[in-house]
Amino acid sequence: MRVLVPFANDEPKSRLAPVLSAAERREFSVAMLCDVVDAIERVGYDPELLVPEPLDCRAEGADSAAAADVGERLGSLPATVDDRPLSAAVNAALDERTGAGVEQAVVMADLALATPTALRRLFAAGGDVAVAPGRGGGTNALVVRDSGFSVDYHGASYRDHRRIAAEAGLSVAVVDSMRLATDVDEPSDLLEVLLHGDGRARQWLIDAGFAVDDEDDGRVGVRRS
Amino acid sequence: MRVLVPFANDEPKSRLAPVLSAAERREFSVAMLCDVVDAIERVGYDPELLVPEPLDCRAEGADSAAAADVGERLGSLPATVDDRPLSAAVNAALDERTGAGVEQAVVMADLALATPTALRRLFAAGGDVAVAPGRGGGTNALVVRDSGFSVDYHGASYRDHRRIAAEAGLSVAVVDSMRLATDVDEPSDLLEVLLHGDGRARQWLIDAGFAVDDEDDGRVGVRRS
């Protein structure tokens, strides 16, 4: 299985701007990417990055030792550089390898709750296409086993991907995973990372002062000290 | 397996007030309850309602034929009436039956995406306690196999339930399911019902004029016509 991880770190996670600065969002995005890469490797596959420009994590302004560690970690991964929009870049990468028996996966870089167990369920799901829907209509992870399929990540891509598969006569397996459904886009998603994460992204949030906030009215949020 | 479904229909789903009237929220809540009951029955178990007062769905102001159908459907289910707060009522119900080999489940009534497949995963999960976490720190479904466990649904109950189990020396299995993690509380949750539901709740939303709204900026929401 070839496993692609698209990642863009120029202006990431703008919807987290109410709670994180631009530099913090870049650091946190890299932490999530590291967690995703770790989980894929622990399943036994070698992730390939798909980036709009060469990745230089050490230039991102993070503090020294941790940043050097992360830079080395990510710098050692194979990477395809393609500056087109996400769907075009993914489709081009998928088209590089086609043929009988070729299995390719696309796993988003902001799945901070991804575990080897959850990814194994995705990779083992049947179907010409296997989809892990994201909350909010997106597609957080895919396995593609037929070159008749192409991606279109804009908008309600889960629905679009099912339609694209159906129009090509391809079967679709849907993976029911809260972990894979949780892409981290909004401040409320940080709570999920604090509660269910166990990697660098969760540690980054804790080091940045975030904690679970059990409010008096029974709702749960995050606070930053 | 005894399967309890707590349900209160006096002032349900207040966080949906921006998009649904009080009468609509009651109707929609009943539709979700019906979907949950259906899913449990399709697994092969007989759900028991846990209600603060006797349920009379036909008195809720819904329109005639559908309401009569729903009233008959729910009226035929066994129900325990307990007007204490949720946690006290659930603990009292769990305490009614204890002993070696007794398995009891508690499944929330607003899991409009619950399917037999997702529930089977919960019911088959090991552990003295099996938990399906809800988005936002809650506990959407549980299996309890040891009388040393009790529930506390206030606040970040997922974390509290893990702590309660750990303090009692009980093992916990966590079920990773987007379907079971999605309790329908907020307007944004309606999108999930439209995209992934296949029962009465989804149909109720469609009949009420709701549809998936692919916005120009790539975000996805719901609109009502």
Side-chain angles (χ1 to χ4, degrees), chain A residues 35-60:
Chain A
D35 287 345
V36 169
V37 161
D38 281 346
I40 294 166
E41 291 183 342
R42 287 164 61 200
V43 175
Y45 296 116
D46 296 318
E48 283 181 48
L49 302 184
L50 178 60
V51 291
E53 57 188 29
L55 198 63
D56 180 1
C57 293
R58 276 165 296 189
E60 299 294 353

Side-chain angles (χ1 to χ4, degrees), chain B residues 82-220:
Chain B
D82 188 328
D83 63 2
R84 285 176 287 181
L86 177 64
S87 298
V90 168
N91 283 325
L94 291 175
D95 286 346
E96 284 169 10
R97 310 231 195 127
T98 58
V102 173
E103 294 188 308
Q104 303 188 84
V106 185
V107 178
M108 291 299 151
D110 59 354
L111 305 187
L113 305 189
T115 55
T117 300
L119 288 172
R120 266 187 217 107
R121 285 177 56 212
L122 170 71
F123 297 152
D128 299 318
V129 179
V131 182
R135 185 174 165 84
T139 302
N140 285 354
L142 282 164
V143 173
V144 182
R145 300 190 174 91
D146 191 293
S147 59
F149 183 80
S150 60
V151 301
D152 178 357
Y153 282 104
H154 192 80
S157 66
Y158 170 70
R159 197 172 57 168
D160 294 338
H161 287 147
R162 295 201 67 147
R163 180 184 45 76
I164 292 165
E167 288 173 0
L170 304 176
S171 62
V172 176
V174 178
V175 179
D176 173 26
S177 165
M178 182 269 279
R179 291 185 170 277
L180 300 182
T182 306
D183 48 329
V184 179
D185 284 323
E186 311 260 2
S188 66
D189 298 322
L190 302 184
L191 172 64
E192 307 302 325
V193 180
L194 286 172
L195 285 172
H196 302 290
D198 63 356
R200 289 175 192 256
R202 178 171 181 272
Q203 191 59 52
W204 189 93
L205 290 174
I206 291 169
D207 293 345
F210 285 92
V212 175
D213 189 15
D214 247 329
E215 293 166 27
D216 290 339
D217 65 357
R219 291 206 216 184
V220 187

Side-chain angles (χ1 to χ4, degrees), chain A:
Chain A
M1 178 95 65
R2 179 192 190 200
V3 185
L4 293 161
V5 183
F7 180 72
N9 205 23
D10 48 345
E11 183 50 50
K13 296 294 157 203
S14 55
R15 281 186 269 165
L16 289 174
V19 296
L20 294 177
S21 72
E24 288 175 333
R25 299 200 304 278
R26 281 193 294 270
E27 276 188 41
F28 181 57
S29 295
V30 167
M32 292 198 288
L33 171 62
C34 282
D35 287 345
V36 169
V37 161
D38 281 346
I40 294 166
E41 291 183 342
R42 287 164 61 200
V43 175
Y45 296 116
D46 296 318
E48 283 181 48
L49 302 184
L50 178 60
V51 291
E53 57 188 29
L55 198 63
D56 180 1
C57 293
R58 276 165 296 189
E60 299 294 353
D63 60 25
S64 53
D69 177 38
V70 164
E72 189 168 349
R73 173 94 182 77
L74 296 177
S76 68
L77 296 175
T80 295
V81 177
D82 187 329
D83 64 3
R84 284 175 289 180
L86 178 63
S87 298
V90 169
N91 283 325
L94 291 175
D95 286 347
E96 284 169 10
R97 308 228 197 131
T98 58
V102 173
E103 294 188 307
Q104 303 189 84
V106 185
V107 178
M108 291 299 151
D110 60 353
L111 305 186
L113 305 188
T115 55
T117 300
L119 289 172
R120 266 185 217 107
R121 286 177 54 214
L122 170 71
F123 297 152
D128 299 317
V129 180
V131 182
R135 185 175 166 84
T139 302
N140 285 355
L142 283 164
V143 174
V144 181
R145 300 190 175 91
D146 191 293
S147 58
F149 183 80
S150 60
V151 302
D152 177 358
Y153 282 105
H154 191 79
S157 66
Y158 170 69
R159 199 172 55 167
D160 294 338
H161 286 146
R162 295 201 65 147
R163 178 183 46 74
I164 292 165
E167 288 172 0
L170 303 176
S171 62
V172 176
V174 179
V175 178
D176 173 25
S177 165
M178 182 268 280
R179 290 186 171 278
L180 299 183
T182 306
D183 47 329
V184 179
D185 285 322
E186 310 260 1
S188 66
D189 298 322
L190 302 183
L191 173 63
E192 308 302 326
V193 179
L194 287 171
L195 285 171
H196 303 289
D198 64 356
R200 288 175 194 254
R202 178 171 180 273
Q203 192 59 51
W204 189 93
L205 290 175
I206 291 169
D207 293 345
F210 285 91
V212 175
D213 188 16
D214 247 329
E215 294 167 25
D216 290 338
D217 65 358
R219 290 204 216 185
V220 186
V222 297
R223 60 184 156 74
R224 187 171 190 178
S225 58

Side-chain angles (χ1 to χ4, degrees), chain B residues 40-63:
Chain B
I40 294 166
E41 290 184 341
R42 285 164 61 198
V43 176
Y45 295 117
D46 297 318
E48 285 182 46
L49 302 184
L50 178 60
V51 290
E53 57 187 30
L55 197 63
D56 181 0
C57 293
R58 276 165 297 189
E60 300 293 354
D63 60 25

